[in-house]
Amino acid sequence: MTTQLSTDPMVDPRADDSAVWLARRAGVPAVWARYTDLVVDHGQGSWIVTHDGDRYLDYTCGIGVTNTGHAHPRVAAAIAEQAGKIIHAQQNILYHKPGLELHERLPRTFPGARPDDDIGLFLSNSGAEAVEAAVKLAKVATHRPAVVAFRGGFHGRTHGTMSLTSSAIKNRGHYEPLLAGVYFAPYPYPLRNPTGQTDADALAWTRSQLDELFATLVAPEDVAAFVVEPVLGEGGYVVPPDGFLPMLRDIADRHGILLAVDEVQSGYGRTGRFFATEWSGARPDIVIMAKGIASGLPLSGILAPRELLDRFAPGGHGGTYGGNAVSCAAAVATLDVFEEEGLSARAEVLGKRLLDGLRAAAAGHPHVAEVRGRGLMVGIEFADPETLGPRPDLAKAVITEALIGRLLLLSCGTWGQVVRVIPPLVTTEDEIDLAVRVIGAALRAVDPA
Ligand SMILES: Cc1ncc(COP(=O)(O)O)c(C=O)c1O
């Protein structure tokens, strides 16, 4: 473990424990609502280690980012090597090797891509920026003003992406007026569907609400794009019925609407396919990605057929840092790790173990309404068994208990009523079993069966 000595005369310069560093947290603003007060020193694989030397199993993955685990040696080496050569080689001014390699390799991951497809890639920094790029592209390409998003969706915290977001009021409340021309339809959410809890009920409800939207609020000819998460992330880890994206594809085709899939959280192997869209068989027009793309360095992007992407005129979009050389080197190494370690397939297999384990652990607990997920994207929803009234208090209590058991978890869902479990894709069977045991004990403590 490396020891970094404090230079603050107010603290003992020999001390390096968490308390010393925590005493210096006053400058961190409260807007970063916190899950823990842990001060991390380093991480490796599925684990983080604090300044006190305590180890925690990290099943938050930095909110679904560190899919290759912490400090994967291959990624860390690529970052170090590139940082020693050139850090910032701005896209409008220079080409660089990792960027060029990424522009060749990432387009091959486009869902449903055929070998002769010409897919292009635009790189930016954050998920929100990539969503912004997708919406701007859809507008410039279609010359249409409106966008349809889905209730419960989360697309980012910029003004534009906040306007497409409806996962929780904290993400958009008090910031009005928001972007004009954004309309919402319900995301198919079987557990909370008003007309019945089967997949077919939920799909039919979404369909009917889309029809009504087009009959009452916005003409489909005015809609540039559907922006949709293939698996609802912040909104509660909801896996939609398989027919959802094909249904949107069909409607989009009939009205000249573009289908933009926001794979920021569901992508990069998380669900057992490189992109979760692949499960549906639907071919999107735009794929939005971030989070796992560079194993933790800021990088995001959109993929689209080149004839669509080139509707951006030169200079019509861009950014200072997009396609940063060190981030691109990390992204190339990340793709190498995915290929060599078969991470998407691994997520499918380990995801089944996690889901089965958690379902068994949750069986009989009265307030567990559902344990659901796809691959290593798993949520446990807490609700009143009679009314389905959300129980965020229980989700929070389970997360707190798990933290005591040295397991890091997050919540999601509109009310924070879902515990989400996001292991790195390099996690092991033993680690999954350990997490299931810790969560099982937490459930027994807060919601006795
Ligand atoms: C589906 C989805 N889209 C967009 C974003 C925004 O990404 P970022 O926080 O990198 O801007 C997120 C972040 O959680 C997300 O889950």
Side-chain angles (χ1 to χ4, degrees), residues 29-299:
V31 69
W32 294 108
R34 304 203 70 85
Y35 277 90
T36 81
D37 281 334
L38 300 180
V39 185
V40 68
D41 180 73
H42 63 278
Q44 193 158 41
S46 311
W47 298 85
I48 60 107
V49 182
T50 70
H51 271 257
D52 299 329
D54 295 329
R55 280 160 52 84
Y56 287 79
L57 183 57
D58 182 6
Y59 274 15
T60 70
C61 238
I63 323 188
V65 171
T66 54
N67 292 3
T68 59
H70 289 294
H72 192 291
R74 182 144 192 163
V75 177
I79 291 170
E81 191 189 338
Q82 185 58 44
K85 286 182 176 170
I86 189 162
I87 295 172
H88 180 57
Q90 207 278 333
Q91 286 265 40
N92 297 100
I93 304 169
L94 299 166
Y95 289 111
H96 52 76
K97 194 170 113 182
L100 292 170
E101 188 171 345
L102 201 58
H103 282 83
E104 268 176 13
R105 287 175 66 180
L106 257 184
R108 293 182 209 137
T109 66
F110 193 84
R114 294 171 285 264
D116 55 344
D117 273 348
D118 190 8
I119 306 290
L121 167 69
F122 170 83
L123 291 172
S124 48
N125 305 289
S126 67
E129 258 190 278
V131 175
E132 293 276 358
V135 172
K136 282 177 69 175
L137 179 62
K139 285 187 170 177
V140 83
T142 62
H143 300 292
R144 296 175 176 194
V147 172
V148 171
F150 292 82
R151 295 287 291 275
F154 182 91
H155 300 287
R157 294 179 182 273
T158 61
H159 234 94
T161 57
M162 172 173 67
S163 311
L164 306 181
T165 291
S166 56
S167 53
I169 193 64
K170 67 173 187 252
N171 299 322
R172 58 183 282 139
H174 312 305
Y175 295 105
E176 301 278 352
L178 302 180
L179 195 68
V182 179
Y183 297 85
F184 291 96
Y187 196 91
Y189 188 164
L191 179 72
R192 296 192 171 278
N193 184 56
T195 57
Q197 292 189 327
T198 68
D199 277 8
D201 293 329
L203 201 56
W205 173 246
T206 295
R207 174 74 213 217
S208 72
Q209 293 301 294
L210 271 171
D211 289 346
E212 193 174 312
L213 182 69
F214 290 152
T216 56
L217 291 174
V218 62
E221 303 76 40
D222 287 337
V223 176
F226 289 125
V227 179
V228 63
E229 290 169 86
V231 176
L232 202 60
E234 300 298 310
Y237 274 33
V238 179
V239 183
D242 285 339
F244 178 44
L245 291 181
M247 179 182 86
L248 293 185
R249 176 76 273 167
D250 179 56
I251 299 171
D253 285 345
R254 279 190 288 115
H255 299 292
I257 298 170
L258 296 173
L259 178 59
V261 290
D262 182 343
E263 292 266 14
V264 168
Q265 191 148 174
S266 59
Y268 260 75
R270 172 69 37 206
T271 68
R273 297 287 182 274
F274 196 77
F275 289 118
T277 304
E278 291 168 44
W279 286 103
S280 73
R283 187 181 155 91
D285 297 300
I286 304 173
V287 178
I288 304 161
M289 69 200 136
K291 291 198 189 280
I293 180 172
S295 293
L297 285 200
L299 190 69

